[in-house]
Amino acid sequence: MIAIPSIPGFLKEPNGPIGKPVSRVDGRKKVTGNAHYAAEFTLPDLAHGYIVSSAIARGRITRIDTAAALALPGVIHVFTHENRPSLAWFDRKWKDDDAPKGAPFRPLYDAEIHHALQPVALVIAESFELARYAARLVHIEYEAAPHQTDLRANRADSFTPGKDKGGFQPPPKPRGDPEQAFLDSPVQVDAEFTQAAEYHNPMEMHATTVLHHDDGTLTVHDKTQGAQNCHTYICNVFGLAKSAVRVMSPFVGGAFGSGLRPQHQLFMAMLAATQLKRSVRVELSRPQMFSFGHRPETIQRVALGADRDGTLRALIHEAVQESSRNENYVEIVVNWSGQQYKCDNVRLDYTLTRLDVHTPLDQRAPGAATGVTALEIAMDELAGKLGMDPLELRLRNYTETDPNTGNPFSSKELRACFQQGAERFGWAKRSPAPRSMRDGRELIGWGMAAGVWDAMQGQAAAKAVLGVDGKLGVSSATADIGTGTYTVMTQIAADVLGLPIGEVTFCLGDSSLPTAPIEGGSWTVSTVGSAVKAVCDRVRSQLVTLAGKRDDSPLKGVAEEDVLFADGHLIVRDDPSRRLSITDVMRGSGTLSIEEEARALPYLLARARHTFATHSAVFVEVRVDEDLGTIRVARVVSAIAAGRIINPKTARSQIQGAVVWGIGMGLEEGAFTDHRLGRVMNHDYAEYHVPVNADVPDIDVLFVEEHDDMVNALGAKGVGEIGIVGVPAAIANAIHHATGVRVRDFPITLDKVLAGLR
Ligand code: MOS
């Protein structure tokens, strides 16, 4: 084990805000309407754009007639591929920080249609309503070409993608002899699972307002998880100087991954603003939210072989996912199966099939949400065949090291998740046989699953400015998509410098701030939090130096590690009567402000030799109406191991939100394509179902204690995504326990359960 020295002073403060359930520092702004979103900014001459979407899934535009739209008074311009200006030529200029291998989609590039709802024209008018109406008057003729949108029909035509994108690792090479070991196993499970495509559907639709200033500079208010990612993209695409453009996204109304890449409304608003030299807003409609990225449809096979005592002998996991023709969208679906359980004979395969669709996109726990679902249902089926408790089967095959690499985990308290979660849920009272628990007409089922997600860290910088008034401003160009970034960063800064929360302000969502990566992968606490801590540590050192300078100072000659920071004071640890306020330290030394900037990097040496992951155990009770097949999730216990929890209140919200999504993924969500048209049929909130209040039961979240001094200087792993992983499986397993019906096709709608009950 590599010992990472703990930094003096940090987390030794007796009453620091780390670990406290601090309410959102931006909460008041949000509930009073003072948090402004991308489509809410304006200037007096603001023009409005509305996008025309393709009516076909593949082919080309043969004629585009904008005369009727342009004839309307108040319609300013219609942009099409025929009149767009010349833009960046090379693919690399169109790439962004989340772009997979391939050629990024270019809006209004030429007459070719690559997928349904592709943006094909942009109408600019004096009002939104006029632009929307005029968009219907744009007359487009197409020459349709045959399209393929059906993964099932095209699955044989798949290929193995290579290594790509920051986090993507192809599956590890097979170990042992999985095929033979499977055949030799006395107990076997071999099943196929299908997962429907899911769309992100944040409450706030994607929108961009470009404010065109008199000096020609642009302020771009965009809905994004990466202001700097979008900044680089538009400067590259439009050939603009970086200093002439500033991208802002201080508030984001949900994203879940949809804002990881610049989306086409950004391009459209920029196109119009730069060409017309005026301010422009472009907002997508709800149906147009189905015109880009989604969690890809997936078909999986999991085969497990075990000895009669439950020891896993063979594990085979294959997945095929859809991608577009132009990019290889890849996610880690099957690798988790080789990491979660001890097994000597393992084969993991991951392939892609190209379809005529927009490139899929990361969506909350991309890959794990899908892959772990299949694995954890197969484990439940295996437990059934063995006549073994599903929890016991998981403990039987528990691993303390990562079998994919042979490396130890930096920390892994999954066992504690199992134990504490089971106890909270009352798992011991479960009667093992399916259909053995009932309450009137309702069949009761108890199911469980384990979850896993990465504990990643990137590089980020942060800046701190401490004023003589004792107020601290910290900033970094990260995002807060509702996850609590503002609050958590404020806590970390306040903790290091012993300041009250109210004296600290954290700024984000602005491309001009110190560099931070896109906000995703549950890595923001780790990545940006480490930078915030690093920069505040520097301010802390400066204060200690300043405090010791004067001969009459009570802190004269005191070493930094002997100084405590609390209540806005520097206090000698062993003699609290010797103290100075931060304000006095600064005044006494004639310092008006202390300014520092710092970068934080992952502990690369530790990362090379360990696996870093968060873990979970999910327990679910469902109630199924035997006559009607209706499925209700009655309660959920989610036990999470994610290192130190900086803020149990915002962290709990993350897990609860993710569990809600797990219910959606399990029971409701799916985008269904009419393959004759190549179009998603249910592209609105009426027909694309997500859980509403009535679908969401009591969700009990518990964080098990997990100490990790290798993950980062905070010991925190991040909780944005782990909460969804395993939930669909636990629901499916509970449904099986309730009814005896095994559904492996997501979402598990009541028709599928009823078909099994008949
Ligand atoms: Mo998350 S899918 O990395 O926004």
Side-chain angles (χ1 to χ4, degrees):
M1 209 171 102
I2 297 158
I4 304 297
S6 71
I7 282 89
F10 185 66
L11 298 176
K12 285 184 190 157
E13 316 307 15
N15 286 306
I18 297 254
K20 301 264 163 65
V22 175
S23 291
R24 283 168 194 272
V25 297
D26 51 330
R28 188 176 297 268
K29 266 190 185 165
K30 283 190 166 170
V31 298
T32 55
N34 288 309
H36 296 294
Y37 296 82
E40 296 183 309
F41 293 86
T42 193
L43 273 181
D45 68 337
L46 183 76
H48 299 262
Y50 199 88
I51 291 169
V52 182
S53 307
S54 167
I56 62 168
R58 186 164 166 254
R60 60 196 317 273
I61 297 169
T62 52
R63 199 169 84 90
I64 191 157
D65 182 354
T66 60
L70 286 168
L72 288 175
V75 172
I76 299 160
H77 194 75
V78 181
F79 290 96
T80 69
H81 67 277
E82 291 174 346
N83 65 12
R84 67 158 176 88
S86 111
L87 298 163
W89 179 251
F90 295 106
D91 275 340
R92 70 182 156 76
K93 292 277 188 186
W94 294 79
K95 290 260 187 190
D96 66 87
D97 291 344
D98 195 35
K101 194 182 279 179
F105 171 66
R106 303 178 181 195
L108 306 189
Y109 180 65
D110 57 18
E112 296 299 316
I113 302 295
H114 307 280
H115 59 86
L117 297 188
Q118 177 179 317
V120 290
L122 173 70
V123 179
I124 303 291
E126 297 294 347
S127 77
F128 172 76
E129 291 76 11
L130 189 58
R132 183 175 56 183
Y133 175 63
R136 296 174 57 179
L137 303 183
V138 175
H139 181 75
I140 302 176
E141 287 169 18
Y142 301 93
E143 188 181 283
H147 59 259
Q148 297 294 337
T149 52
D150 189 345
L151 178 62
R152 193 171 286 279
N154 290 277
R155 66 191 285 190
D157 188 16
S158 73
F159 65 97
T160 304
K163 194 168 176 165
D164 186 21
K165 242 177 64 167
F168 180 70
Q169 291 293 330
K173 299 226 168 343
R175 50 181 187 259
D177 186 349
E179 317 297 334
Q180 193 58 45
F182 177 75
L183 292 175
D184 293 345
S185 295
V187 187
Q188 299 171 339
V189 168
D190 191 347
E192 185 170 287
F193 302 84
T194 50
Q195 168 64 52
E198 283 186 288
Y199 279 77
H200 299 73
N201 274 305
M203 286 290 276
E204 180 202 21
M205 294 169 287
H206 276 246
T208 306
T209 306
V210 181
L211 301 182
H212 189 278
H213 305 294
D214 291 340
D215 63 358
T217 61
L218 304 173
T219 306
V220 181
H221 295 276
D222 185 42
K223 179 199 177 90
T224 177
Q225 291 169 251
Q228 290 175 330
N229 188 28
C230 289
H231 184 242
T232 306
Y233 173 84
I234 55 182
C235 289
N236 283 343
V237 166
F238 292 95
L240 299 169
K242 287 208 156 188
S243 57
V245 187
R246 184 176 177 193
V247 178
M248 309 280 292
S249 62
F251 294 99
V252 178
F256 318 109
S258 68
L260 287 173
R261 300 188 68 181
Q263 298 303 353
H264 63 254
Q265 91 288 338
L266 171 65
F267 170 91
M268 292 293 195
M270 282 296 299
L271 174 70
T274 51
Q275 290 299 298
L276 303 174
K277 309 231 176 302
R278 66 184 278 188
S279 301
V280 176
R281 176 188 303 150
V282 176
E283 197 177 0
L284 299 189
S285 68
R286 181 57 63 184
Q288 286 171 340
M289 288 297 290
F290 290 73
S291 67
F292 64 93
H294 55 279
R295 192 192 293 285
E297 187 178 352
T298 309
I299 303 171
Q300 302 179 74
R301 174 192 171 218
V302 178
L304 301 177
D307 286 332
R308 297 210 181 277
D309 68 354
T311 306
L312 277 176
R313 294 187 57 175
L315 190 158
I316 297 166
H317 190 166
E318 303 162 349
V320 55
Q321 291 196 304
E322 55 168 339
S323 190
S324 60
R325 303 248 178 236
N326 57 307
E327 288 174 310
N328 290 356
Y329 172 79
V330 282
E331 53 187 35
I332 294 174
V333 178
V334 296
N335 305 19
W336 313 103
S337 294
Q339 178 180 322
Q340 275 292 68
Y341 299 109
K342 206 183 295 177
C343 184
D344 294 333
N345 303 288
V346 176
R347 179 169 62 77
L348 307 169
D349 281 327
Y350 177 72
T351 57
L352 293 180
T353 292
R354 293 194 194 284
L355 296 177
D356 297 300
V357 296
H358 191 283
T359 305
L361 181 56
D362 301 287
Q363 183 177 101
R364 209 169 197 163
T370 308
V372 173
T373 295
L375 171 70
E376 290 296 296
I377 294 174
M379 286 294 281
D380 196 71
E381 296 191 44
L382 183 63
K385 288 195 171 175
L386 289 161
M388 191 176 215
D389 183 277
L391 178 51
E392 198 193 320
L393 175 64
R394 284 161 175 91
L395 290 170
R396 175 72 47 96
N397 295 286
Y398 195 87
T399 178
E400 301 288 356
T401 56
D402 174 358
N404 279 350
T405 59
N407 287 336
F409 291 93
S410 65
S411 59
K412 181 184 177 183
E413 294 294 341
L414 176 57
R415 209 185 283 277
C417 293
F418 284 139
Q419 283 156 358
Q420 293 175 36
E423 189 172 326
R424 183 75 68 88
F425 187 82
W427 184 257
K429 293 199 275 298
R430 178 178 184 264
S431 91
R435 300 181 65 88
S436 62
M437 292 164 66
R438 160 190 298 273
D439 180 7
R441 281 162 40 133
E442 282 187 325
L443 299 167
I444 297 174
W446 288 4
M448 60 86 54
V452 57
W453 182 248
D454 282 326
M456 293 183 270
Q457 185 182 354
Q459 287 187 31
K463 185 178 171 177
V465 181
L466 179 66
V468 72
D469 56 359
K471 291 194 188 305
L472 175 71
V474 185
S475 58
S476 180
T478 183
D480 187 338
I481 57 175
T483 40
T485 313
Y486 278 111
T487 312
V488 167
M489 298 307 153
T490 302
Q491 283 174 267
I492 294 168
D495 200 283
V496 176
L497 288 168
L499 290 168
I501 288 286
E503 300 294 292
V504 181
T505 309
F506 185 74
C507 287
L508 51 69
D510 178 342
S511 60
S512 68
L513 297 176
T515 308
I518 46 177
E519 190 228 17
S522 302
W523 72 0
T524 301
V525 166
S526 195
T527 303
V528 181
S530 297
V532 168
K533 173 175 156 34
V535 77
C536 291
D537 279 338
R538 288 197 182 184
V539 174
R540 191 181 162 111
S541 299
Q542 279 229 35
L543 282 168
V544 173
T545 309
L546 292 175
K549 267 192 178 156
R550 284 170 58 151
D551 286 336
D552 57 348
S553 167
L555 276 88
K556 178 81 191 165
V558 182
E560 187 175 345
E561 58 267 31
D562 297 327
V563 181
L564 194 97
F565 278 66
D567 304 325
H569 284 72
L570 287 71
I571 305 164
V572 177
R573 207 174 284 277
D574 299 328
D575 181 3
S577 70
R578 290 169 64 192
R579 55 162 63 201
L580 269 179
S581 74
I582 286 178
T583 347
D584 285 345
V585 170
M586 292 180 71
R587 280 211 197 96
S589 59
T591 310
L592 284 179
S593 77
I594 297 174
E595 264 190 59
E596 287 287 350
E597 194 162 330
R599 284 174 82 71
L601 308 175
Y603 299 144
L604 294 173
L605 199 60
R607 288 205 171 247
R609 297 178 189 173
H610 297 81
T611 293
F612 292 76
T614 53
H615 294 93
S616 70
V618 195
F619 299 83
V620 169
E621 176 180 317
V622 298
R623 287 164 174 258
V624 181
D625 185 300
E626 196 174 9
D627 301 319
L628 303 175
T630 49
I631 306 150
R632 185 162 65 83
V633 176
R635 60 196 179 96
V636 178
V637 172
S638 175
I640 304 287
R644 174 178 287 116
I645 302 301
I646 306 282
N647 183 333
K649 194 171 190 175
T650 51
R652 174 167 280 109
S653 288
Q654 283 302 294
I655 302 302
Q656 286 183 329
V659 169
V660 171
W661 199 334
I663 294 171
M665 198 174 173
L667 301 177
E668 301 183 37
E669 289 196 49
F672 300 103
T673 298
D674 182 336
H675 294 301
R676 292 168 304 176
L677 301 171
R679 289 166 73 94
V680 172
M681 294 179 286
N682 53 337
H683 60 335
D684 55 57
Y685 265 175
E687 299 293 334
Y688 183 96
H689 290 178
V690 296
V692 296
N693 283 2
D695 300 319
V696 177
D698 179 40
I699 299 168
D700 195 352
V701 179
L702 64 97
F703 295 105
V704 308
E705 234 181 271
E706 187 174 72
H707 180 75
D708 195 323
D709 55 11
M710 277 184 271
V711 67
N712 51 49
L714 301 163
K717 290 179 175 176
V719 292
E721 287 162 300
I722 182 65
I724 189 174
V725 184
V727 177
I731 291 172
N733 296 342
I735 290 171
H736 177 261
H737 182 237
T739 61
V741 180
R742 179 60 75 179
V743 183
R744 303 181 190 88
D745 177 25
F746 286 89
I748 306 177
T749 44
L750 60 92
D751 51 306
K752 296 171 191 172
V753 174
L754 271 183
L757 283 171
R758 290 282 135 77

Short mmCIF file of all heavy atoms in Angstrom, two decimals, residues 180-208:
data_model
loop_
_atom_site.label_atom_id
_atom_site.label_comp_id
_atom_site.label_asym_id
_atom_site.label_seq_id
_atom_site.Cartn_x
_atom_site.Cartn_y
_atom_site.Cartn_z
N GLN A 180 -15.42 -23.99 -21.69
CA GLN A 180 -15.37 -25.34 -21.13
C GLN A 180 -15.84 -25.34 -19.68
O GLN A 180 -16.61 -26.22 -19.26
CB GLN A 180 -13.94 -25.90 -21.24
CG GLN A 180 -13.84 -27.39 -20.97
CD GLN A 180 -14.72 -28.21 -21.91
OE1 GLN A 180 -14.75 -27.98 -23.12
NE2 GLN A 180 -15.50 -29.15 -21.36
N ALA A 181 -15.41 -24.33 -18.93
CA ALA A 181 -15.79 -24.26 -17.51
C ALA A 181 -17.31 -24.12 -17.37
O ALA A 181 -17.92 -24.68 -16.45
CB ALA A 181 -15.09 -23.08 -16.83
N PHE A 182 -17.90 -23.39 -18.31
CA PHE A 182 -19.36 -23.26 -18.28
C PHE A 182 -20.02 -24.62 -18.52
O PHE A 182 -20.91 -25.04 -17.78
CB PHE A 182 -19.83 -22.24 -19.32
CG PHE A 182 -21.32 -22.09 -19.39
CD1 PHE A 182 -22.02 -21.41 -18.40
CD2 PHE A 182 -22.04 -22.65 -20.44
CE1 PHE A 182 -23.40 -21.29 -18.45
CE2 PHE A 182 -23.42 -22.53 -20.49
CZ PHE A 182 -24.11 -21.85 -19.50
N LEU A 183 -19.54 -25.33 -19.55
CA LEU A 183 -20.12 -26.64 -19.87
C LEU A 183 -19.96 -27.62 -18.71
O LEU A 183 -20.82 -28.45 -18.46
CB LEU A 183 -19.46 -27.21 -21.13
CG LEU A 183 -19.77 -26.47 -22.43
CD1 LEU A 183 -18.96 -27.05 -23.59
CD2 LEU A 183 -21.27 -26.52 -22.74
N ASP A 184 -18.84 -27.48 -18.01
CA ASP A 184 -18.56 -28.40 -16.90
C ASP A 184 -19.29 -28.04 -15.61
O ASP A 184 -19.25 -28.81 -14.65
CB ASP A 184 -17.05 -28.42 -16.60
CG ASP A 184 -16.25 -29.02 -17.75
OD1 ASP A 184 -16.88 -29.67 -18.61
OD2 ASP A 184 -15.01 -28.82 -17.79
N SER A 185 -19.91 -26.87 -15.59
CA SER A 185 -20.53 -26.42 -14.33
C SER A 185 -21.84 -27.15 -14.08
O SER A 185 -22.68 -27.25 -14.97
CB SER A 185 -20.82 -24.92 -14.39
OG SER A 185 -19.61 -24.20 -14.45
N PRO A 186 -22.03 -27.65 -12.87
CA PRO A 186 -23.27 -28.37 -12.56
C PRO A 186 -24.50 -27.46 -12.54
O PRO A 186 -25.60 -27.92 -12.77
CB PRO A 186 -23.01 -28.96 -11.18
CG PRO A 186 -21.88 -28.18 -10.60
CD PRO A 186 -21.07 -27.68 -11.76
N VAL A 187 -24.31 -26.18 -12.28
CA VAL A 187 -25.45 -25.25 -12.26
C VAL A 187 -25.16 -24.13 -13.25
O VAL A 187 -24.08 -23.54 -13.22
CB VAL A 187 -25.69 -24.67 -10.85
CG1 VAL A 187 -26.98 -23.85 -10.81
CG2 VAL A 187 -25.75 -25.81 -9.82
N GLN A 188 -26.12 -23.88 -14.14
CA GLN A 188 -25.88 -22.91 -15.22
C GLN A 188 -27.04 -21.93 -15.37
O GLN A 188 -28.20 -22.30 -15.19
CB GLN A 188 -25.71 -23.64 -16.56
CG GLN A 188 -24.54 -24.60 -16.60
CD GLN A 188 -24.56 -25.43 -17.88
OE1 GLN A 188 -25.59 -25.57 -18.52
NE2 GLN A 188 -23.41 -25.99 -18.22
N VAL A 189 -26.67 -20.72 -15.76
CA VAL A 189 -27.65 -19.72 -16.20
C VAL A 189 -27.12 -19.16 -17.51
O VAL A 189 -25.93 -18.88 -17.63
CB VAL A 189 -27.78 -18.57 -15.17
CG1 VAL A 189 -28.57 -17.40 -15.74
CG2 VAL A 189 -28.42 -19.07 -13.89
N ASP A 190 -27.98 -19.05 -18.50
CA ASP A 190 -27.56 -18.47 -19.78
C ASP A 190 -28.76 -17.71 -20.31
O ASP A 190 -29.76 -18.31 -20.68
CB ASP A 190 -27.14 -19.59 -20.74
CG ASP A 190 -26.44 -19.03 -21.98
OD1 ASP A 190 -26.50 -17.80 -22.20
OD2 ASP A 190 -25.84 -19.83 -22.73
N ALA A 191 -28.67 -16.38 -20.31
CA ALA A 191 -29.86 -15.60 -20.64
C ALA A 191 -29.51 -14.35 -21.43
O ALA A 191 -28.38 -13.85 -21.39
CB ALA A 191 -30.59 -15.20 -19.35
N GLU A 192 -30.53 -13.86 -22.16
CA GLU A 192 -30.36 -12.64 -22.96
C GLU A 192 -31.18 -11.51 -22.35
O GLU A 192 -32.30 -11.73 -21.87
CB GLU A 192 -30.80 -12.90 -24.39
CG GLU A 192 -30.53 -11.72 -25.28
CD GLU A 192 -30.75 -12.04 -26.76
OE1 GLU A 192 -29.90 -12.75 -27.33
OE2 GLU A 192 -31.74 -11.56 -27.33
N PHE A 193 -30.60 -10.33 -22.38
CA PHE A 193 -31.23 -9.14 -21.78
C PHE A 193 -31.30 -8.04 -22.82
O PHE A 193 -30.35 -7.85 -23.58
CB PHE A 193 -30.39 -8.65 -20.59
CG PHE A 193 -30.21 -9.69 -19.53
CD1 PHE A 193 -29.19 -10.66 -19.63
CD2 PHE A 193 -31.05 -9.75 -18.43
CE1 PHE A 193 -29.03 -11.62 -18.66
CE2 PHE A 193 -30.89 -10.72 -17.45
CZ PHE A 193 -29.87 -11.66 -17.57
N THR A 194 -32.39 -7.31 -22.82
CA THR A 194 -32.46 -6.16 -23.73
C THR A 194 -32.82 -4.91 -22.94
O THR A 194 -33.62 -4.94 -22.01
CB THR A 194 -33.51 -6.38 -24.84
OG1 THR A 194 -34.73 -6.80 -24.24
CG2 THR A 194 -33.05 -7.41 -25.83
N GLN A 195 -32.17 -3.83 -23.33
CA GLN A 195 -32.37 -2.54 -22.68
C GLN A 195 -32.79 -1.54 -23.75
O GLN A 195 -32.07 -1.34 -24.73
CB GLN A 195 -31.06 -2.09 -22.01
CG GLN A 195 -31.02 -0.65 -21.55
CD GLN A 195 -32.04 -0.38 -20.46
OE1 GLN A 195 -32.10 -1.09 -19.45
NE2 GLN A 195 -32.89 0.62 -20.67
N ALA A 196 -33.95 -0.92 -23.58
CA ALA A 196 -34.41 0.08 -24.55
C ALA A 196 -33.57 1.35 -24.45
O ALA A 196 -32.97 1.62 -23.42
CB ALA A 196 -35.87 0.42 -24.29
N ALA A 197 -33.55 2.11 -25.53
CA ALA A 197 -32.86 3.41 -25.51
C ALA A 197 -33.59 4.34 -24.54
O ALA A 197 -34.80 4.30 -24.43
CB ALA A 197 -32.84 4.02 -26.90
N GLU A 198 -32.79 5.14 -23.84
CA GLU A 198 -33.36 6.12 -22.92
C GLU A 198 -32.87 7.51 -23.32
O GLU A 198 -31.70 7.67 -23.67
CB GLU A 198 -32.87 5.87 -21.49
CG GLU A 198 -33.51 4.74 -20.76
CD GLU A 198 -33.00 4.72 -19.32
OE1 GLU A 198 -31.83 4.36 -19.11
OE2 GLU A 198 -33.76 5.10 -18.42
N TYR A 199 -33.74 8.48 -23.21
CA TYR A 199 -33.33 9.87 -23.46
C TYR A 199 -33.18 10.61 -22.14
O TYR A 199 -33.85 10.27 -21.16
CB TYR A 199 -34.32 10.56 -24.41
CG TYR A 199 -34.01 10.17 -25.84
CD1 TYR A 199 -34.38 8.92 -26.32
CD2 TYR A 199 -33.29 11.00 -26.66
CE1 TYR A 199 -34.05 8.52 -27.62
CE2 TYR A 199 -32.94 10.62 -27.96
CZ TYR A 199 -33.33 9.38 -28.43
OH TYR A 199 -32.98 8.99 -29.70
N HIS A 200 -32.29 11.60 -22.11
CA HIS A 200 -31.93 12.24 -20.84
C HIS A 200 -33.09 13.00 -20.21
O HIS A 200 -33.28 12.97 -19.00
CB HIS A 200 -30.74 13.19 -21.04
CG HIS A 200 -29.50 12.51 -21.53
ND1 HIS A 200 -29.36 12.04 -22.81
CD2 HIS A 200 -28.34 12.21 -20.89
CE1 HIS A 200 -28.16 11.49 -22.94
NE2 HIS A 200 -27.52 11.57 -21.79
N ASN A 201 -33.82 13.72 -21.06
CA ASN A 201 -35.02 14.42 -20.59
C ASN A 201 -34.85 15.28 -19.35
O ASN A 201 -35.67 15.21 -18.43
CB ASN A 201 -36.15 13.42 -20.35
CG ASN A 201 -36.93 13.16 -21.63
OD1 ASN A 201 -37.41 14.10 -22.26
ND2 ASN A 201 -37.03 11.91 -22.02
N PRO A 202 -33.83 16.12 -19.29
CA PRO A 202 -33.78 17.08 -18.17
C PRO A 202 -34.98 18.01 -18.25
O PRO A 202 -35.53 18.23 -19.34
CB PRO A 202 -32.48 17.84 -18.42
CG PRO A 202 -32.21 17.69 -19.88
CD PRO A 202 -32.74 16.34 -20.25
N MET A 203 -35.38 18.55 -17.11
CA MET A 203 -36.50 19.50 -17.10
C MET A 203 -36.22 20.68 -18.02
O MET A 203 -37.07 21.12 -18.77
CB MET A 203 -36.74 20.02 -15.67
CG MET A 203 -37.40 19.00 -14.76
SD MET A 203 -39.11 18.72 -15.21
CE MET A 203 -39.87 20.08 -14.34
N GLU A 204 -35.02 21.23 -17.91
CA GLU A 204 -34.64 22.36 -18.76
C GLU A 204 -34.20 21.83 -20.12
O GLU A 204 -33.26 21.06 -20.22
CB GLU A 204 -33.47 23.14 -18.13
CG GLU A 204 -33.01 24.32 -18.95
CD GLU A 204 -31.57 24.75 -18.64
OE1 GLU A 204 -30.80 23.95 -18.09
OE2 GLU A 204 -31.23 25.90 -18.96
N MET A 205 -34.89 22.25 -21.15
CA MET A 205 -34.50 21.82 -22.49
C MET A 205 -33.24 22.55 -22.91
O MET A 205 -32.95 23.64 -22.42
CB MET A 205 -35.65 22.08 -23.45
CG MET A 205 -36.85 21.20 -23.11
SD MET A 205 -38.35 21.64 -23.96
CE MET A 205 -38.81 23.15 -23.14
N HIS A 206 -32.51 21.97 -23.84
CA HIS A 206 -31.26 22.60 -24.26
C HIS A 206 -31.54 23.93 -24.94
O HIS A 206 -32.44 24.04 -25.77
CB HIS A 206 -30.47 21.67 -25.18
CG HIS A 206 -29.66 20.69 -24.39
ND1 HIS A 206 -28.29 20.68 -24.38
CD2 HIS A 206 -30.03 19.72 -23.54
CE1 HIS A 206 -27.85 19.73 -23.57
NE2 HIS A 206 -28.89 19.13 -23.05
N ALA A 207 -30.78 24.94 -24.55
CA ALA A 207 -30.99 26.28 -25.06
C ALA A 207 -29.68 27.04 -25.02
O ALA A 207 -28.80 26.75 -24.19
CB ALA A 207 -32.03 27.01 -24.22
N THR A 208 -29.55 27.99 -25.93
CA THR A 208 -28.39 28.89 -25.94
C THR A 208 -28.86 30.30 -26.25
O THR A 208 -29.64 30.50 -27.17
CB THR A 208 -27.38 28.46 -27.04
OG1 THR A 208 -27.04 27.09 -26.85
CG2 THR A 208 -26.11 29.32 -26.97
#
